[in-house]
Amino acid sequence: MARSAKAVPWFLFAAGGTVIAFILPVMIFITGIAPAIGLFGDALSYETMHAFVGNWLIKLILLGIIVLAAWHAAHRLRVCAHDFGIRADGAVSIVVYGLAAIASAATVVALLMI
Amino acid sequence: MSERQIELEVLRYRPEMDDKPFFQTYSVPCQEEWVVLDALNYVKDEMDRTLSYRWSCHMFVCGSCGMAINGEPKLACKAFLRDYQTKIRIEPLSNFPIERDLVIVQDDFIEKLESVKPYIIPKQEKPIDQGEYLQTPAQLKAYKQYSMCINCLLCYSACPQYALEEKFIGPAALALAHRYNMDSRDVGRSAREHVVASHDGIWACSFVGACSQVCPKDVDPAGAIQQVKFTSAVDYLTSFLPGGKR
């Protein structure tokens, strides 16, 4: 039996899991819920946020969070498909990791355009 | 001591005479402090000598009396009657073929256990007159928990991945591989790697964690597999660096 290449997506999955558990809930609160209920006043206005994300360090951090979360979700869906009895791991992998790759590329493009 | 009448619904299957498994009910006069194994022994001694099941130590050491009690994988010697209602359903461990009544065929597990080389592979064989291998308390602690496994197979019975994928090496064998990998006297990690880190090894585990929930010895096979995933993933990635082990 050969060593499995599953180590690579698993690393992204594990890192993404940590990011999702610790950072994503706070991100959702700060960018989604807090402005909606009027917290922080103008600090979260479009102009302020746009300038904030324009910083290269912030771009890099955002890239890390979004890309890792996407690969985590992809690997989770691959495992779910197996659990649901879908016996086509190759095809499922191509679809879910393909989507994660597209999401990663789109994130890079979006961040570069800011 | 109070006595209680328990209805035991036991799955019977004797391949030479039964077309398919069926439930047989025994009404057993039980003492309050009995475990399920005591009730089965009462049936065997006083009511029906044809009933077959494995047991030996009656004290969660031998790992022989694993069975599904009300659908949950348990050691019959550790399942106290006071925790159950009047009716108790007893079946052989799921995910294994039935040999006879509550006895399962263990061959698949034994083969997998052998495949992970569950013994110390020393750097150099030491003659007995040179004395013991010494270990610090910290070195002992690194693997002791995983060495508590009694091969009772409750974890295989609880594992949804093993149910789906028969080739999966499974919780106990992988936890035992980890036990030897973590032992300071052992240098066999790379000899186990081709099984442990294969597609049917740790990577078939999706970390459901049922194995650790049912383990009667608190081995935590799911935790062991997660740790092996990390070290194996590091091994895999560094193998592509210059000087990495291929």
Side-chain angles (χ1 to χ4, degrees):
Chain A
M1 284 184 267
R3 284 199 294 189
S4 170
K6 224 175 170 181
V8 179
W10 182 82
F11 242 137
L12 293 167
F13 169 74
T18 312
V19 163
I20 284 180
F22 286 105
I23 301 176
L24 224 55
V26 182
M27 294 277 289
I28 291 169
F29 179 76
I30 292 175
T31 59
I33 299 170
I37 58 176
L39 283 178
F40 309 134
D42 278 345
L44 290 171
S45 68
Y46 178 81
E47 288 74 23
T48 331
M49 289 305 284
H50 194 269
F52 181 64
V53 177
N55 183 308
W56 275 101
L57 183 65
I58 302 300
K59 280 187 186 184
L60 208 62
I61 293 171
L62 270 182
L63 180 72
I65 294 172
I66 296 169
V67 167
L68 286 175
W71 283 89
H72 177 87
H75 190 71
R76 172 55 71 204
L77 285 173
R78 178 185 175 189
V79 173
C80 279
H82 175 82
D83 287 349
F84 280 122
I86 300 169
R87 289 286 167 274
D89 194 45
V92 169
S93 302
I94 291 170
V95 171
V96 294
Y97 295 148
L99 285 172
I102 293 170
S104 305
T107 309
V108 172
V109 172
L111 286 171
L112 285 176
M113 283 166 62
I114 292 172
Chain B
M1 280 195 297
S2 58
E3 198 174 284
R4 188 152 75 106
Q5 204 69 20
I6 299 273
E7 303 284 311
L8 284 188
E9 291 180 348
V10 183
L11 193 85
R12 302 294 312 270
Y13 177 61
R14 293 149 296 176
E16 75 281 0
M17 54 191 288
D18 302 328
D19 291 336
K20 53 182 184 184
F22 64 98
F23 281 101
Q24 185 167 352
T25 305
Y26 302 98
S27 186
V28 189
C30 296
Q31 301 296 328
E32 187 59 32
E33 72 278 9
W34 276 10
V35 289
V36 168
L37 180 59
D38 294 314
L40 285 172
N41 284 344
Y42 185 91
V43 173
K44 179 88 174 169
D45 294 342
E46 311 287 341
M47 302 168 83
D48 184 356
R49 280 184 293 166
T50 67
L51 180 64
S52 299
Y53 53 98
R54 287 195 180 104
W55 76 284
S56 177
C57 77
H58 200 288
M59 47 194 271
F60 0 127
V61 173
C62 74
S64 308
C65 67
M67 46 192 80
I69 299 174
N70 282 352
E72 199 185 340
K74 289 252 183 202
L75 293 180
C77 66
K78 213 183 173 184
F80 284 86
L81 292 179
R82 59 172 172 261
D83 298 328
Y84 293 89
Q85 309 287 328
T86 313
K87 235 184 209 174
I88 305 176
R89 178 167 274 212
I90 302 175
E91 296 157 281
L93 287 176
S94 50
N95 299 343
F96 291 95
I98 301 176
E99 177 110 39
R100 185 181 187 84
D101 293 342
L102 299 172
V103 178
I104 51 158
V105 181
Q106 302 180 331
D107 300 1
D108 183 54
F109 167 69
I110 303 295
E111 264 172 44
K112 284 169 178 165
L113 183 61
E114 281 173 5
S115 75
V116 300
K117 302 187 198 307
Y119 40 81
I120 288 175
I121 302 174
K123 201 167 188 178
Q124 215 172 357
E125 216 49 76
K126 198 161 95 167
I128 289 172
D129 56 19
Q130 280 188 20
E132 310 89 337
Y133 290 93
L134 297 178
Q135 278 187 321
T136 65
Q139 285 170 330
L140 174 67
K141 191 168 179 275
Y143 69 84
K144 191 175 176 208
Q145 175 191 352
Y146 310 112
S147 74
M148 303 311 279
C149 175
I150 52 175
N151 302 342
C152 66
L153 305 188
L154 299 195
C155 53
Y156 283 77
S157 182
C159 175
Q161 290 306 332
Y162 183 59
L164 283 172
E165 190 57 72
E166 208 184 320
K167 285 192 203 149
F168 178 34
I169 301 294
L174 290 170
L176 279 165
H178 187 53
R179 173 251 173 278
Y180 289 97
N181 287 345
M182 298 302 285
D183 194 313
S184 59
R185 298 163 292 183
D186 181 274
V187 293
R189 190 153 81 90
S190 52
R192 298 182 188 104
E193 190 86 341
H194 69 286
V195 175
V196 170
S198 69
H199 182 71
D200 297 323
I202 46 171
W203 301 116
C205 162
S206 60
F207 201 24
V208 173
C211 51
S212 295
Q213 277 179 15
V214 299
C215 178
K217 306 297 281 186
D218 296 323
V219 169
D220 190 11
I225 293 173
Q226 285 305 101
Q227 289 179 25
V228 180
K229 276 181 186 170
F230 186 79
T231 49
S232 299
V234 172
D235 278 355
Y236 184 84
L237 294 178
T238 54
S239 71
F240 294 102
L241 298 175
K245 287 183 295 180
R246 294 306 290 270

